[in-house]
């Protein structure tokens, strides 16, 4: 890792090393075999923040995660650093998928987690949408049901956007890990007119269904769906290819993590607070 003096002043990192190095930050094993190939994402998120804030930064400097994406066999955590409530910079760290090692990259004070691109053509035909079909503003969100930042957007930010703006919001599947079945289940619920209700349940109960996929049937029952039709749809795998095609399209468009938004073609990366969406949407509405 090659840190210049400006970076050291900005982030007040306690130590400097000459190359990327791994740090074990996962809690010690109790000797039992894990039933999961990888630890839950929320555990990794917490471990990353605890390690960075408690062991790498001086008092007064705080890191928060603004986005998580995948690259090869790593998760890439995009971080925002703040001091006294003011943002002082951004950087990324790499974490192995088993949650054991964290690799520190090079700080770049010019880095931004928002990547604005020229308008992009996205296939939204026959995709689930909510809002105003004739709205002048279309928000396409590439999202994964296991992503905690996607849940935050879906459950907290999206309702405010729909309440305050005339927009059409389109959902595109972008499973990050192995939650393809959850995306298939949502599409099966959509056949019975309950896509968005099922969408919300999946985000609300992330910790529950990812440990027990039989919950997908339970959620269908909660929503009053025809269970035999739902099960037949889910067992057939009829939506699997469509889900994976959405992800492939996202990758071609430059999506590297979730959630990623295209607002009238303008790419916005990460679960921004409502206030940032409000600013963008007001500007677009006034044009």
């Amino acid at each position: 890792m090659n840190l210049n003096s400006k970076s050291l002043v900005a982030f007040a990192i306690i130590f400097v090393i000459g190359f990327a190095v791994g740090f074990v930050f996962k809690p010690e094993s109790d000797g039992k075999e894990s039933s999961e190939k990888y630890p839950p994402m929320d555990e990794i998120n917490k471990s990353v923040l605890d390690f960075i804030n408690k062991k790498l930064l001086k008092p007064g400097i705080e890191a928060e995660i603004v986005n998580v994406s995948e690259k090869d066999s790593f998760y890439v955590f995009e971080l925002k650093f703040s001091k006294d409530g003011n943002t002082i910079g951004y950087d990324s760290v790499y974490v192995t998928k088993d949650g054991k090692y964290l690799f520190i990259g090079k700080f770049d004070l010019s880095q931004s987690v928002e990547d604005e691109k020229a308008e992009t053509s996205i296939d939204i035909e026959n995709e689930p949408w909510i809002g105003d079909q004739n709205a002048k503003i279309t928000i396409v969100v590439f999202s994964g049901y296991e992503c905690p930042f996607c849940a935050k957007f879906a459950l907290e930010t999206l309702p405010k956007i729909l309440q305050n703006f005339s927009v059409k919001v389109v959902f595109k599947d972008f499973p990050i890990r192995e939650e393809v079945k959850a995306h298939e289940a949502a599409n099966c619920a959509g056949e019975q007119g309950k896509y968005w209700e099922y969408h919300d349940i999946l985000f609300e109960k992330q910790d529950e269904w990812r440990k027990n996929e039989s919950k997908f049937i339970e959620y269908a029952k909660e929503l009053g769906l025809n269970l035999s039709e739902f099960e037949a749809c889910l067992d057939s795998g009829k939506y699997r290819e469509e889900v994976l095609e959405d992800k492939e399209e996202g990758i071609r468009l430059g999506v590297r993590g979730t959630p990623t938004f295209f607002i009238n073609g303008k790419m916005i990366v990460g679960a921004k607070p409502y206030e940032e969406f409000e600013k963008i949407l007001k500007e677009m509405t006034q044009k």
Side-chain angles (χ1 to χ4, degrees):
M1 176 174 62
N2 180 16
L3 300 181
N4 57 37
S5 59
K6 185 176 181 182
S7 296
L8 288 171
V9 171
F11 298 113
I13 298 297
I14 291 175
F15 63 92
V16 181
I17 53 179
F19 50 88
V21 64
F23 297 94
V24 178
F25 61 89
K26 185 182 176 184
E28 290 296 323
S29 171
D30 58 4
K32 298 179 181 179
E33 290 294 326
S34 172
S35 60
E36 293 185 304
K37 184 177 180 181
Y38 300 123
M41 200 65 208
D42 54 354
E43 287 185 13
I44 296 179
N45 293 341
K46 183 178 184 302
S47 295
V48 168
L49 282 182
D50 284 349
F51 182 85
I52 291 174
N53 284 321
K54 293 178 181 179
K55 296 187 178 182
L56 301 187
L57 301 179
K58 287 183 177 179
I61 307 292
E62 183 176 2
E64 66 176 284
I65 301 169
V66 294
N67 193 50
V68 181
S69 58
E70 284 190 1
K71 185 174 183 181
D72 300 324
S73 60
F74 295 91
Y75 292 121
V76 182
F77 284 79
E78 295 177 7
L79 305 170
K80 179 172 75 171
F81 294 85
S82 302
K83 182 176 182 180
D84 300 327
N86 299 313
T87 300
I88 58 175
Y90 295 91
D91 192 37
S92 297
V93 297
Y94 287 72
V95 179
T96 54
K97 290 185 177 179
D98 59 7
K100 290 183 178 180
Y101 296 98
L102 180 149
F103 294 81
I104 302 174
K106 180 180 178 181
F107 285 115
D108 181 358
L109 294 178
S110 66
Q111 179 180 349
S112 171
V113 296
E114 180 174 318
D115 181 13
E116 300 182 7
K117 292 189 175 182
E119 291 195 6
T120 307
S121 176
I122 303 173
D123 181 9
I124 61 173
E125 187 175 357
N126 299 322
E127 299 288 359
W129 63 273
I130 192 171
D132 181 359
Q133 185 175 16
N134 300 313
K136 294 181 179 180
I137 298 175
T138 298
I139 302 174
V140 180
V141 52
F142 283 84
S143 186
Y145 284 114
E146 197 173 357
C147 162
F149 304 99
C150 299
K152 184 176 181 63
F153 171 78
L155 302 176
E156 299 178 16
T157 306
L158 179 57
K160 294 179 182 179
I161 291 174
L162 293 172
Q163 181 180 353
N164 296 314
F165 293 94
S166 174
V167 295
K168 179 179 180 180
V169 180
V170 180
F171 187 95
K172 299 283 283 187
D173 299 295
F174 201 92
I176 286 294
R177 292 172 66 183
E178 299 173 2
E179 76 273 25
V180 175
K181 204 70 175 177
H183 289 260
E184 293 180 73
N187 281 286
C188 288
E191 287 189 352
Q192 300 185 46
K194 295 288 186 177
Y195 181 88
W196 290 96
E197 292 85 348
Y198 203 93
H199 160 281
D200 288 352
I201 286 178
L202 289 175
F203 279 127
E204 289 168 0
K205 301 184 178 183
Q206 284 178 332
D207 291 338
E208 186 177 78
W209 60 258
R210 69 183 177 193
K211 298 175 182 177
N212 183 3
E213 289 191 355
S214 67
K215 292 292 183 179
F216 294 150
I217 306 300
E218 184 178 309
Y219 303 154
K221 185 176 181 179
E222 286 180 23
L223 293 174
L225 302 182
N226 182 308
L227 294 185
S228 60
E229 291 182 8
F230 179 84
E231 287 188 65
C233 174
L234 193 57
D235 291 342
S236 71
K238 64 186 292 186
Y239 287 106
R240 184 175 182 82
E241 185 176 348
E242 181 178 318
V243 168
L244 296 177
E245 285 177 353
D246 273 5
K247 182 169 184 177
E248 289 175 4
E249 180 185 16
I251 292 172
R252 289 196 300 271
L253 293 168
V255 176
R256 295 296 180 266
T258 55
T260 293
F261 308 88
F262 291 86
I263 305 180
N264 280 3
K266 175 183 179 181
M267 180 189 273
I268 306 295
V269 180
K272 308 288 189 182
Y274 168 74
E275 290 72 20
E276 293 196 36
F277 282 100
E278 181 181 44
K279 180 181 178 181
I280 294 168
L281 294 172
K282 280 184 176 180
E283 291 175 353
M284 289 188 172
T285 301
Q286 295 168 359
K287 287 183 178 180

